[in-house]
Every structure is written in C-alpha cells, then in structure tokens.
Amino acid sequence: MIARLRGLLDSAGADHAVIDCNGVGYLVFCSRRTLGLLGGPREAVAVHVETHVREDHIHLYGFADTAERDWFRLLTTVQGVGAKVALAILSVLSPDQVATAVAAGDKAMLARADGVGPKLAGRIASELKDKVGGIALGPAVIAFHAGGAAPAAAPAEAGAASDAVSALVNLGYGRAEAFAAVAKAGGKLGPEATVSAIIPAALRELAS
C-alpha cells in the first residue's frame, strides 16, 4: 500500500496531479485545496496518500496534510459519501471548517460542496459528530468523543455557549460561523462567562 509520495509535480488537472517519482508518474486524485498547495510543474512535492484497491482499479488520493487525509477517511465512512464527494467537501472547506460544521450541525455549510444535498449533509453531521473528538465550544468542551457517549449532564458554561450560538443563528449568522465566534469569545472570557457576556463578545469577533 502506498502511504506517501515524494517527487516532482509533472502535471495537474482539475481533480488530480501526476507526481514523477524517479521516472514513474503516479496519478493522484486531490482536492482543490491540496492542488493549490502543490506549486508548479517540476517543483518538488510530497503528499500523504490513501490507497483504494477495488476489483477493477487502484486509485490514489493525495493530501497536503494528515488532517485532510484523516477527514477524507472519516467522510467516506458515511453512507452516500464516496471518494469523489469527500474530495468535493475538502475542496470547499478546510479540515478545521469541516470539524466546525460537523460539531455545529451546520448542514448548509457542508452542502456547499458539489454532490452534497441537505439530506446527505445532515447525515454527515449526525454520523460524524461522535467521531470528531474534543471539539471546544467556548470555555467548555462539548462531548464529541470518538467511540464514547456524552456525559449525563453538560457543564453549565456549555449551555451558555450553546444558547449564545442559537442567539447568533437567530440574528441571521450561519451556525458554523456562530459556533466559531462563540468559541473564540468564550476562550477569552473564561469558564464563568454568561450568555449576556458571550453574545456581544462573539458579535465583535464576527465583525473583526
């Protein structure tokens, strides 16, 4: 199995690159994000690789970093998300943005990708939120622990942060951007922050 390739960029297309490794050209399918980071022809490149072996083909998928590779693996565990759709998601959202969208349950953000409708976006958010692992929401950590169940009761500050997110969404902000703003605001205000303190601080983060 091929896990990593290092060589020279021979050529690139809309969804792939050909990497020359000692005279052998490997066709590697990539997200637009990764393709944009590879540079120009004949430049030295290195990509992390996920190898898919099927009865009728062997496909290589390349990633600029392990975070994108790991999200590719997670996304393709969801029913209806194949390699092409996973790359489409990672073409429009960075790994951090995917994590935020999943943690926030922001279906609209996930649905920006080609081939992802509202139903599939909802399935992605629902199935992957328990696998994200320690996503911070403001001063508290919401229980998105891989393979584990949420604690019986969330900390009070997590409730304040959640209420602040809901308030920002009601003001017209996207759920993912509200989630990120509240996380930043909560981190600055500390664990005792109230909803009334978090909301204006989050609004300042959104305006900055």
Side-chain angles (χ1 to χ4, degrees), residues 45-68:
V45 297
V47 292
H48 299 275
V49 173
E50 183 77 2
T51 305
H52 283 193
V53 179
R54 301 290 184 266
E55 290 183 1
D56 57 344
H57 69 256
I58 298 176
H59 280 174
L60 304 181
Y61 299 93
F63 309 95
D65 49 53
T66 56
E68 188 180 60

Side-chain angles (χ1 to χ4, degrees), residues 3 6 12 30 47 68 71 86 96 113 120-121 128 151 156 158 165 167-169:
R6 182 189 296 272
C30 305
V47 292
E68 188 180 60
W71 268 109
D96 285 348
L120 181 55
L128 295 186
V165 170
L168 293 178
V169 169

Side-chain angles (χ1 to χ4, degrees), residues 2-7 19 21 25-28 45-49 60:
I2 298 173
R4 194 164 183 268
L5 287 175
R6 182 189 296 272
I19 300 177
C21 300
Y26 291 89
L27 176 66
V28 184
V45 297
V47 292
H48 299 275
V49 173
L60 304 181

Side-chain angles (χ1 to χ4, degrees), residues 151-173:
E157 57 266 33
S162 180
D163 289 345
V165 170
S166 296
L168 293 178
V169 169
N170 289 335
L171 290 174
Y173 292 99

Side-chain angles (χ1 to χ4, degrees), residues 7-12 17-20 35 38-45:
L8 300 177
L9 180 62
D10 182 82
S11 61
V18 176
I19 300 177
D20 183 342
L35 288 171
L38 290 183
R42 310 312 299 170
E43 288 191 22
V45 297

Side-chain angles (χ1 to χ4, degrees), residues 99-133:
T100 300
V102 169
D106 194 332
K107 295 183 289 185
M109 191 170 184
L110 292 167
R112 293 178 189 174
D114 292 340
V116 180
K119 185 175 181 180
L120 181 55
R123 186 184 304 143
I124 292 168
S126 175
E127 292 188 18
L128 295 186
K129 72 175 182 178
D130 292 331
K131 300 179 182 180
V132 171

